[in-house]
Amino acid sequence: MRLKDMQGAASISLLLMSLCTQPGLAQQQTQSSPTTPAAPQQVVNDTTGTPGLPQAPQPKATEPLFMRPTSRDYTKPKSHIWNPIAPYTAIQVPTFQMGNTTLGSLLRDGKIYLSLADAVTLTLQNNYDIAIARVNLDIADTDLLRARAGSALRGVSTGLLTNTIGGTTTTITTGGGPGATSQGVGGGGTGVGGIVVSTNGGGPVPENLDPVLTGQLEYEASTAPQLNTLFSGGLNVLTTDTATYNFNYAQGFLTGTQLTVGFNNTRVTTDNPFSNFSPSLTTSFRATATQHLLQGFGWGVNGRFILQAKNDRRITDSAFRQQVLYTINQVENIYWALVSAYEDEQAKERQLAQSSQLTSDNRKQLEIGTLAPLDVVNSDSAVASDKQALVASKTNLEYQQLLMKQAIVRNLNDPQLSQAPVIPTDRVALDRLPEEDVQVEDLVKVAYANNPQIEQAVLNMKNNEITIKAFKNGLLPTVDAYAFYGGSALGGAQNPSAIDFNTNKPYPPGTFPSVGYGTVFQNTFNNNAPDKGVGVNMTIPIRNRTAQADQARSQMEYRQSQMRLQQLYTLIRIQVTNQQYALTNDRAQVQAAQAARDFAAQSLDAEQKKYRLGASTTANVLQQGRNLATGENNLISATAAYARDRAQLFQLLANTLDRYGISIEATAQAVGGGAGMQTPVIPGLTAPKAPEAPKPIDVNPAAPPPHQ
């Protein structure tokens, strides 16, 4: 048997032995065939609420709650205390820092030596997707401030930002509507303006909880010709100066109560002889309390926006955690793509060096007449092909380096940074992960509890429940009871132009005693001239079709939310299960590719030795070189697939932050982009190492140790 055949047989036998001893494959061999009917088993993670079956765990809340990028709490307004005009001044939001976090010791000799932990740290500090999502935390606080004032919510964008180029990853995204359906634009099924509007936030309008003070200060000087002098005391023109000072206070309460208090003041100076006082002082007040008895009654209706704003704030916290998980996974994918490009470029350089050495040796043999010219042409063609492959590999490496930079820095305009090559310093290890040996149902439980998308879906359903209650209350007629109490008073100084029409002469001085404003003000509130009453206002829509339609639609959207949650459970179960299988298969693929690569290296080494002895040809050596290049490419691709799938499993389980030791609270800090956070500790990494030289074949290889 030839040496090449012996090497191939030995390599294949080693591969088969390594595969057979893998715990994951051994476990699969003990399982039944995929076509074998499954034995009856109890449901482990039921999510439909079926009585008598174990239920899926409740989602863990993203903690700490109410994370904030800065020390400013936008749920608290500016106070009148110490500065009466403070609530009427603008709030200055800190500007976004466009500069990059210093690379420090990572930049050496014009190169960036980047570990995976460094890449993740720089991503948390500089990545635009995370920075934009970080601002949503404060935006959600402003909605809560509006809700406490009784205003409608503006909403918060909690969708994933996917603008980091090159880090394609898989995740489950929710739709735009509350029932997880996308917002429709255009078409016959859309509403006014071509947009589908959900019922979220609908129902009776809550009371305005912020007190409102209004005032009217007015002075009017009027000169009016008279049509009939009988009513003007014989004057053809009346001159009247009127000063008005009116104030009104209004405030709503969570009980559905509206309180208004009005206080009016008028000072009139006139030459009308029919007026006894000039100037005359008139004051009045009225306090009115209105209570909703049916529609709009109670804290549940008028305070629902506050509850929804708090739920939205928790959703925003969860969405920020989801964004961090997603972006970290993107950056890991970019990093392993960079590693693959770097390894590929080195492999292409080795291939070019081998073909260049071969063509150099061939030319020497051609010169002494021991080799045919066609062999030299063949080797020259291989060198040209290898040079082209190296150029393509270098171009791809430069692009992957650029993708890495755009993910971890904010500004690429720095020439030193933009031109510096990125050297990845980490490689993935093939150590078996604990998650691979965990029962799939236990992994699914972890994903159910940790996944932020389930947390958000549950919180959105709570908002739907609030909306349903609001529309149920909106079905009721409007019946408002009200009561009011007020008073008025009159005073002033005797009008010198006032005429006693009995004598047709002016009244003698002192006929009408002067009453000052202080006395008038006192008489307004001392029940001297009371004005009081009670009443009921009713508005009863006869067919009530709009309210019925909205109430029915709110329940339909809630049913959609329930189905969407169940769909999330199903999708997450499938993804987690598939990802667990993928790791075992990926590892086997890497080991098979490693064995094939070693076999190709041994074959090339043997062929080169035969060629030096004159027992082989240039074509055979080149063919073995191409086989080695193919083997190295397959090994690089298989290793990258394993690294990506490993990171993807952590993202699906939503435990990347805990596994890497990343603080979500420090990540949320906007000052310095979270520069004070600790460097993550990422397990399962090794240092890069050069390919080993072909080893002699051991005819009696020792069996690998069993898996513990």
Side-chain angles (χ1 to χ4, degrees), residues 11-46:
S11 298
I12 293 174
S13 63
L14 287 174
L15 172 61
L16 293 176
M17 292 178 62
S18 64
L19 293 179
C20 291
T21 56
Q22 285 193 54
L25 294 181
Q27 181 182 4
Q28 290 182 2
Q29 290 175 356
T30 59
Q31 296 174 350
S32 59
S33 169
T35 59
T36 303
Q41 295 181 354
Q42 184 183 26
V43 176
V44 180
N45 286 321
D46 180 67

Side-chain angles (χ1 to χ4, degrees), residues 263-267 277 279-285 487-493 513-529:
F263 180 50
N264 300 324
N265 299 267
T266 304
R267 183 182 186 276
F277 291 96
S280 63
L281 304 176
T282 304
T283 63
S284 65
F285 89 96
S488 60
L490 177 65
S514 297
V515 181
Y517 180 77
T519 303
V520 174
F521 181 83
Q522 182 179 1
N523 291 339
T524 303
F525 297 96
N526 64 4
N527 204 30
N528 185 51

Side-chain angles (χ1 to χ4, degrees), residues 19 22 429-433 436 582-592 642:
L19 293 179
Q22 285 193 54
L430 295 179
D431 299 334
R432 191 171 180 82
L433 299 178
E436 295 182 70
L583 283 182
T584 301
N585 295 335
D586 288 343
R587 184 182 293 103
Q589 187 70 26
V590 172
Q591 292 175 340
Y642 171 77

Side-chain angles (χ1 to χ4, degrees), residues 53-73:
L53 293 177
Q55 302 303 309
Q58 290 295 321
K60 295 180 182 178
T62 298
E63 295 180 344
L65 297 176
F66 287 72
M67 294 178 289
R68 293 188 174 91
T70 64
S71 58
R72 176 63 189 260
D73 184 355

